[in-house]
């Protein structure tokens, strides 16, 4: 009986101990005694965030042993175990994590008030992996984003089948004006200067313009929000190209008062190599600087920003051919016509590009709900393109363009209960100067361009988890150009009938023309976001975008020296209008997340380049590409998954499919990305110096939908003129690549973390050609590449 009573006593004592309710509270501060507001505290299945005084409190905790986890961006996570028997006060001090500062000290805010389009973000850790590569390369980590290439170093982002001026690039709230019109003009941006990259697949960023037919790429610099001083130096070495880069930066943050950032990058690369031969004249150089300074008051801030980008880019020698025979056999033989020994020397043809961007910004906060921002920015872009010329002319640029752009923006934000409003106006002036010192008729003429716009965006949060948003924008644009046309070209294209008002006078066999155009455009966006139970989100957006022909599409008339092709613009082009419907379903389980994004895009007056014939010049034989328009319909789907298998293993999957149709000609659109997907498996072991191992599989199938642009040419065989078909349409075969990445972290010096990274791209040295590479006719893609990265965070 006593034993039975004792057992009952123990049972009730144990039950009381386990199920008694306790309270845990305390304060979380930094090493400098500052309270941490918003620190995440996780105990058992309960979570809270600290208030503005750094205080937290969790009630109804059972007695016994409990795991406590604390996390805050930019600080080392705290994991500990406590034993609760009663109400307890427990204070914590968190230490800064310099390794994480580059990613997490960027203030995480929605880029626009629009909530109906899911924004795809590229993390700082991913950006660092691509430190020795380009913006176009790192953007391909986002599902639905591909790259339009000119060789191995010039990569333009393609978003849902759209590229060029259809995908504006916004650098620190400034729209880049770097002659993005050309297919071989890569964004003039140092990837190391990005703290965060956001891709918006749709014309939802109306504050930046109404012509984002494809989407937006938004680049945000590293912005330190806390009172801290830290820096980073990163070295990259690459076997393919036998060079590398170094980038170093220092950042000073402050809640109030002065803060600043400074970053510099130097890159030096030689010829790249395909698996079987050297890709002669494909080296490149970069010298870049980015810096800003900011003063923050209680109700305002004033900031200044400057970036300088300077690059020299070699163009594959084999892409420039001589005779029609050379062009035919260069494409037919599948082997470069020029193969030399490896060298660091960059000869003609090449590009030399400089880009300056400066801005001043003032923002005033009326209260927590309203602010007014004004910004002035100036950009200067100088582009030199060198062709292979005789004698002293070989050192003189064949194309010399200087583009100057002034912009003024005023934006107002207001939050009223559940409404978020943003409106603004902008004005811009642009001048392009084509230097006559080249001795060659410029491909792009002198012109002046005036822009003005006004927009309004609103979103409202409803009580049932529904967010509605919409926006409207009006743009005015006026372009005035002066250009000489050969009389034969002027009449051949019918300009004498269509545009007699543009004729100024005749000079020998040329006509001086003064083309001028005025545009009035409307753009709009409407959509919703619905959040369901169990972490389901549904985004749907319909947008109207209107894009005017850019200077390249209007005025191109001659040999584009860096690409080795003749381009013909068309003064009769009409503005392009797109209606895009996009929907995204996002679901998150405990260890698995899924995003599915189908879309359809109907485009009136879709502008594109079509090859129409070869043309023999005194410089050689070149393909002629002409800007044309059609009614186009594009549709596709992007899929991404992320599976956390356990604490050490993770799997990622991304897939993109798009189909583009030329409805007027009942054929496929040219330059549409083929179906492709990636799988990546990742292993992490925190106890082994935060070891990270990643194996990535990349599969690109052969493009099966393409237009037939082949034509007949005449070549000389055995002294006879023989007709032959020049196949420039058939896409190359699909391919499968494997890539490897690894890194480990060490505490090497006082408050310094050193990260050692090792990567292999194209592990099996696979021979392949990319359908979206303009130089695929002449050479294979780059072969295996070993990379070593050493990174110091201090």
């Amino acid at each position: 009986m006593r034993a039975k009573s004792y057992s009952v006593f123990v049972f009730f004592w144990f039950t009381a101990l386990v199920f008694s309710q306790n309270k845990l509270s305390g304060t979380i501060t930094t090493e400098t005694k500052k309270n941490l507001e918003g620190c995440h505290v996780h105990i058992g299945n309960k979570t809270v965030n600290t208030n503005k005084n750094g205080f937290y409190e969790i009630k109804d905790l059972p007695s016994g042993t409990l795991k406590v986890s604390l996390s805050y961006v930019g600080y080392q996570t705290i994991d500990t175990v406590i034993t609760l028997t009663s109400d307890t006060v427990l204070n914590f001090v968190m230490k800064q994590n310099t390794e994480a500062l580059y990613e997490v000290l960027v203030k995480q805010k929605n880029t626009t008030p629009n909530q109906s389009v899911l924004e795809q973000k590229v993390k700082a850790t991913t950006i660092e992996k691509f430190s020795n590569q380009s913006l176009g390369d790192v953007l391909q980590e986002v599902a639905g984003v591909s790259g339009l290439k000119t060789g191995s170093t010039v990569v333009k982002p393609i978003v849902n089948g759209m590229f060029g001026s259809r995908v504006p690039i916004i650098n620190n709230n400034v729209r880049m004006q770097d002659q993005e019109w050309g297919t071989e003009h890569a964004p003039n941006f140092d990837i190391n200067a990005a703290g965060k990259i956001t891709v918006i697949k749709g014309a939802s960023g109306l504050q930046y313009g109404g012509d984002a037919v494809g989407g937006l790429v938004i680049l945000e610099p590293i912005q330190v929000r806390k009172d801290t001083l830290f820096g980073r130096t990163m070295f990259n070495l690459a076997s393919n190209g036998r060079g590398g880069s170094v980038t170093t930066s220092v950042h000073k943050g402050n809640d109030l008062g002065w803060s600043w950032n400074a970053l510099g990058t130097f890159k030096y690369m030689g010829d790249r190599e395909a698996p079987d031969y050297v890709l002669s004249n494909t080296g490149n150089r970069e010298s870049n600087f980015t810096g800003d300074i900011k003063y923050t008051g209680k109700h305002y801030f004033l900031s200044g920003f400057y970036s300088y980008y300077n690059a020299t880019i070699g163009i594959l020698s084999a892409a420039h051919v001589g005779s029609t025979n050379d062009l035919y056999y260069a494409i037919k033989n599948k082997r470069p016509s020029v193969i030399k020994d490896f060298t660091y020397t960059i000869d003609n043809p090449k590009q030399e590009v400089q880009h300056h961007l400066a801005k001043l910004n003032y923002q005033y906060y009326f209260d927590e709900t309203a602010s007014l921002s004004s910004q002035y920015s100036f950009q200067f872009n100088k582009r030199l393109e060198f062709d292979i010329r005789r004698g002293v002319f070989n050192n003189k640029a064949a194309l010399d363009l200087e583009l100057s752009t002034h912009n003024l923006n005023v934006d107002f934000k207001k939050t009223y209960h559940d409404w978020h409003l943003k409106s603004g106006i902008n004005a811009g002036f642009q001048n392009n100067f084509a230097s006559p010192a080249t001795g060659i008729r410029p491909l792009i003429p002198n012109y002046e361009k005036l822009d003005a716009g006004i927009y309004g965006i609103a979103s409202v949060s409803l009580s049932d988890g529904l967010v509605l948003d919409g926006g409207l924008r009006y743009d005015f644009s006026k372009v005035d150009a002066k250009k000489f046309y050969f009389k034969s070209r002027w009449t051949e294209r019918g300009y004498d009938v269509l545009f007699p008002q543009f004729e100024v006078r005749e000079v020998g066999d040329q006509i001086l023309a003064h083309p001028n155009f005025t545009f009035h455009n409307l753009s709009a966006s409407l959509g919703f976001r619905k959040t369901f139970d169990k972490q389901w989100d549904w985004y749907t957006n319909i947008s109207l975008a209107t894009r005017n022909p850019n200077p390249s599409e209007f005025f191109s008339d001659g040999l584009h020296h860096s690409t080795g092709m003749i381009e013909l613009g068309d003064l009769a082009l009409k503005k392009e209008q797109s209606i895009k419907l996009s929907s995204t379903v996002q679901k998150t389980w405990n260890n698995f997340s899924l995003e599915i994004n189908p879309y359809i895009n109907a485009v009136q007056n879709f502008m594109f380049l079509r090859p129409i014939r070869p043309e023999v010049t005194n410089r050689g034989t070149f393909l002629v590409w002409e800007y044309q328009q059609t009614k186009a319909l594009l549709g596709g789907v992007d899929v991404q998954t992320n599976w956390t298998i356990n604490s050490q293993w993770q799997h990622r999957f991304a897939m993109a499919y798009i189909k583009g149709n030329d409805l007027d000609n009942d054929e496929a659109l040219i330059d549409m990305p083929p179906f492709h997907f990636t799988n990546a498996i990742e292993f992490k072991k925190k106890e082994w110096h935060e070891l990270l191992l990643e194996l990535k599989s990349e599969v690109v199938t052969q493009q099966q939908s393409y237009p037939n642009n082949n034509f007949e040419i005449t070549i000389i065989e055995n002294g006879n003129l023989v007709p032959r078909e020049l196949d420039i349409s058939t896409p190359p075969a699909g391919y499968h690549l494997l890539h490897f990445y690894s890194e480990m972290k060490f505490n090497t010096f006082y408050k310094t973390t050193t990260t050692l990274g090792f990567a292999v791209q194209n592990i099996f040295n696979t021979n392949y050609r990319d359908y979206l590479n303009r130089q695929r006719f002449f050479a294979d893609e780059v072969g295996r590449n070993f990379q070593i990265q050493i990174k110091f965070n201090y």
Side-chain angles (χ1 to χ4, degrees):
M1 185 67 184
R2 290 182 59 189
K4 185 175 181 180
S5 301
Y6 178 77
S7 299
V8 172
F9 171 77
V10 171
F11 172 77
F12 281 106
W13 178 85
F14 178 77
T15 302
L17 178 65
V18 173
F19 293 100
S20 59
Q21 304 302 307
N22 305 299
K23 179 177 71 175
L24 180 67
S25 60
T27 302
I28 302 176
T29 60
T30 68
E31 293 177 290
T32 57
K33 307 302 181 184
K34 285 191 174 183
N35 298 324
L36 276 181
E37 179 184 1
C39 182
H40 184 76
V41 183
H42 188 142
I43 303 178
N45 60 356
K46 297 178 180 294
T47 58
V48 297
N49 290 329
T50 54
N51 63 17
K52 63 181 180 180
N53 298 316
F55 178 78
Y56 73 94
E57 181 180 82
I58 300 180
K59 298 179 179 179
D60 300 328
L61 292 171
S63 298
T65 301
L66 296 174
K67 182 178 179 180
V68 180
S69 178
L70 283 70
S71 60
Y72 189 81
V73 292
Y75 289 79
Q76 296 177 16
T77 298
I78 295 178
D79 289 310
T80 187
V81 176
I82 64 172
T83 300
L84 277 184
T85 58
S86 61
D87 292 351
T88 303
V89 175
L90 191 59
N91 301 322
F92 293 94
V93 177
M94 300 196 72
K95 298 181 179 180
Q96 279 192 340
N97 181 1
T98 57
E99 176 67 23
L101 281 171
Y102 273 80
E103 176 181 356
V104 298
L105 285 179
V106 178
K107 194 171 184 179
Q108 300 294 323
K109 284 187 176 180
N110 288 325
T111 308
T112 76
N114 301 80
Q115 302 291 316
S116 58
V117 175
L118 180 63
E119 299 178 353
Q120 307 285 340
K121 301 184 187 303
V122 180
K123 296 181 179 180
T125 52
T126 303
I127 296 171
E128 289 183 353
K129 290 182 185 179
F130 288 82
S131 173
N132 198 41
Q133 295 171 264
S134 69
L135 174 64
D137 291 315
V138 70
L139 286 173
Q140 294 180 65
E141 293 294 291
V142 176
V145 180
S146 305
L148 183 67
K149 302 178 183 178
T150 301
S152 56
T153 54
V154 177
V155 186
K156 296 177 72 71
I158 303 177
V159 178
N160 291 159
M162 302 288 189
F163 59 87
S165 53
R166 297 185 184 97
V167 184
I169 296 176
I170 312 301
N171 179 9
N172 196 9
N173 204 45
V174 178
R175 177 167 176 160
M176 295 287 286
Q177 302 286 348
D178 52 359
Q179 305 178 41
E180 78 278 10
W181 336 298
T183 57
E184 86 305 341
H185 296 181
N188 297 163
F189 179 77
D190 177 11
I191 189 64
N192 296 287
K196 183 176 68 172
I197 301 175
T198 303
V199 177
I200 301 177
K201 301 174 185 175
S204 297
L206 291 176
Q207 67 267 42
Y208 301 116
D211 57 350
V213 178
L216 287 167
V217 175
I218 299 176
L219 311 170
E220 298 180 53
I222 299 164
Q223 302 177 32
V224 184
R225 305 295 186 181
K226 301 298 178 182
D227 184 7
T228 185
L229 174 66
F230 67 98
R232 175 189 65 174
T233 298
M234 189 157 45
F235 298 92
N236 295 280
L237 298 173
S239 66
N240 203 320
R242 306 183 195 181
S245 65
V246 57
T247 181
T248 188
S249 60
V250 180
H251 309 270
K252 176 67 173 75
N254 227 334
D255 291 322
L256 294 174
W258 293 99
S259 57
W260 50 266
N261 302 278
L263 179 144
T265 297
F266 177 74
K267 183 183 295 184
Y268 192 94
M269 301 293 296
D271 289 338
R272 296 339 194 261
E273 298 178 52
D276 299 326
Y277 44 76
V278 173
L279 300 169
S280 296
N281 202 50
T282 55
N284 65 305
R285 315 274 189 272
E286 283 186 26
S287 299
N288 310 317
F289 172 79
T290 302
D292 67 81
I293 187 168
K294 178 178 179 181
Y295 182 82
T296 305
K298 289 185 177 180
H299 300 289
Y300 71 94
F301 74 78
L302 176 66
S303 66
F305 173 84
Y306 172 73
S307 73
Y308 171 69
Y309 177 89
N310 182 21
T312 300
I313 304 169
I315 304 297
L316 179 72
S317 297
H320 284 234
V321 297
S323 66
T324 305
N325 273 44
D326 294 336
L327 177 63
Y328 174 75
Y329 285 110
I331 295 176
K332 182 177 184 297
N333 292 339
K334 305 296 182 183
R335 187 172 176 85
S337 58
V338 179
I339 300 176
K340 300 179 180 178
D341 292 336
F342 172 88
T343 180
Y344 290 100
T345 302
I346 300 177
D347 294 321
N348 295 350
K350 65 182 179 182
Q351 301 177 359
E352 291 182 1
V353 183
Q354 291 184 0
H355 186 79
H356 302 261
L357 189 160
K359 80 160 190 175
L360 290 173
N361 179 258
Y362 175 78
Q363 186 158 335
Y364 182 81
Y365 298 92
F366 298 98
D367 52 39
E368 293 182 352
T369 67
S371 66
L372 181 69
S373 173
S374 60
Q375 175 180 290
Y376 165 76
S377 64
F378 170 74
Q379 297 179 70
F380 178 75
N381 187 269
K382 184 174 180 63
R383 170 174 289 273
L384 300 173
E385 296 187 1
F386 295 83
D387 196 4
I388 301 173
R389 306 173 72 179
R390 296 184 179 91
V392 295
F393 291 100
N394 197 50
N395 296 320
K396 183 175 289 189
L399 182 69
D400 185 345
L401 299 179
E402 295 180 354
L403 185 69
S404 302
T405 308
H406 302 262
N407 280 104
L408 180 64
N409 302 70
V410 178
D411 300 284
F412 175 73
K413 294 181 182 180
K414 174 66 177 178
T415 299
Y416 183 76
H417 297 300
D418 294 324
W419 285 87
H420 301 276
L421 309 173
K422 185 174 184 180
S423 62
I425 59 174
N426 73 277
F429 174 76
Q430 187 174 86
N431 172 268
N432 184 70
F433 174 70
S435 174
T438 62
I440 298 176
R441 296 173 67 251
L443 180 70
I444 304 295
N446 295 340
Y447 73 83
E448 291 183 348
K449 184 168 176 277
L450 182 66
D451 296 298
I454 183 170
Y455 75 90
I457 303 171
S459 67
V460 57
S461 300
L462 303 180
S463 58
D464 59 351
L466 180 64
V467 178
L468 305 178
D469 66 53
L472 185 67
R473 182 182 177 96
Y474 164 77
D475 284 289
F476 166 83
S477 183
K478 181 176 176 59
V479 181
D480 282 283
K482 291 183 178 180
K483 180 176 176 62
F484 281 97
Y485 287 87
F486 285 116
K487 290 181 182 179
S488 58
R489 186 83 80 190
W490 187 260
T491 56
E492 169 195 305
R493 304 191 68 79
Y495 295 160
D496 56 333
V497 177
L498 293 172
F499 306 110
Q501 72 275 18
F502 292 167
E503 297 179 13
V504 178
R505 65 177 182 272
E506 295 186 7
V507 182
D509 63 346
Q510 298 185 75
I511 291 177
L512 176 61
H514 181 195
N516 57 88
F517 303 92
T518 300
F519 298 95
H520 300 273
N521 298 336
L522 282 176
S523 305
S525 176
L526 181 66
F528 68 85
R529 173 186 175 182
K530 173 65 176 175
T531 299
F532 301 93
D533 292 336
K534 300 181 180 179
Q535 296 180 300
W536 279 96
D537 287 287
W538 180 24
Y539 304 76
T540 296
N541 176 271
I542 185 169
S543 58
L544 167 68
T546 306
R547 184 180 75 89
N548 304 324
N550 64 42
S552 182
E553 293 161 336
F554 260 147
F555 306 123
S556 291
D557 180 31
L559 178 61
H560 200 159
H561 299 274
S562 68
T563 60
M565 56 191 248
I566 295 172
E567 293 181 13
L568 298 179
D570 191 345
L571 295 178
L573 292 175
K574 300 176 182 178
K575 60 187 179 184
E576 190 176 85
Q577 287 189 312
S578 159
I579 297 180
K580 182 176 183 178
L581 175 63
S582 175
S583 188
T584 302
V585 174
Q586 184 182 54
K587 167 64 176 173
T588 302
W589 289 269
N590 290 334
N591 300 312
F592 187 81
S593 63
L594 168 68
E595 294 174 10
I596 302 177
N597 171 216
Y599 58 90
I600 188 168
N601 196 354
V603 188
Q604 293 286 345
N605 303 318
F606 179 80
M607 287 170 265
F608 66 101
L609 267 175
R610 181 194 293 274
I612 57 173
R613 65 176 183 271
E615 188 169 301
V616 180
T617 71
N618 58 6
R619 166 65 182 81
T621 300
F622 301 95
L623 291 177
V624 179
W625 294 69
E626 180 184 65
Y627 282 102
Q628 299 183 1
Q629 286 189 299
T630 188
K631 184 178 180 181
L633 183 65
L634 297 88
V637 61
D638 303 330
V639 178
Q640 287 191 147
T641 68
N642 196 313
W643 179 23
T644 302
I645 303 170
N646 55 38
S647 61
Q648 296 179 343
W649 291 93
Q650 186 174 14
H651 176 268
R652 299 190 309 276
F653 171 80
M655 181 208 80
Y657 171 80
I658 182 172
K659 179 74 181 297
N661 291 315
D662 178 342
L663 300 182
D664 287 343
N665 299 300
D666 192 23
E667 62 182 9
L669 287 174
I670 194 172
D671 291 334
M672 288 292 106
F675 173 68
H676 60 278
F677 60 91
T678 61
N679 282 279
I681 187 73
E682 183 181 278
F683 173 79
K684 290 181 178 179
K685 188 71 172 179
K686 186 176 182 179
E687 296 81 4
W688 299 349
H689 296 284
E690 298 190 45
L691 173 68
L692 169 65
L693 303 174
E694 179 186 276
L695 184 65
K696 181 179 177 181
S697 166
E698 178 183 358
V699 176
V700 179
T701 64
Q702 184 178 31
Q703 178 59 276
Q704 300 296 324
S705 300
Y706 59 93
N708 184 355
N709 293 315
N710 296 344
F711 41 76
E712 188 176 275
I713 62 172
T714 301
I715 65 172
I716 300 174
E717 285 186 0
N718 301 320
N720 299 314
L721 295 176
V722 180
R724 289 284 185 266
E725 183 183 53
L726 187 65
D727 186 358
I728 59 171
S729 303
T730 305
Y735 55 88
H736 177 212
L737 306 177
L738 282 177
H739 312 292
F740 173 76
Y741 178 80
S742 64
E743 68 176 33
M744 297 181 74
K745 299 175 183 178
F746 303 89
N747 294 320
T748 48
F749 309 105
Y750 176 70
K751 290 188 176 180
T752 299
T753 302
T754 300
T755 303
L756 298 179
F758 174 73
V760 186
Q761 295 174 321
N762 192 358
I763 294 174
F764 294 114
N765 208 24
T766 302
N767 294 84
Y768 71 102
R769 297 195 179 194
D770 192 333
Y771 175 63
L772 297 175
N773 193 334
R774 287 302 175 94
Q775 293 180 358
R776 66 180 172 87
F777 304 117
F778 309 106
D780 290 341
E781 296 289 331
V782 171
R784 184 189 296 116
N785 184 24
F786 295 97
Q787 293 190 108
I788 296 174
Q789 185 179 86
I790 305 174
K791 178 174 57 180
F792 300 98
N793 285 280
Y794 43 85

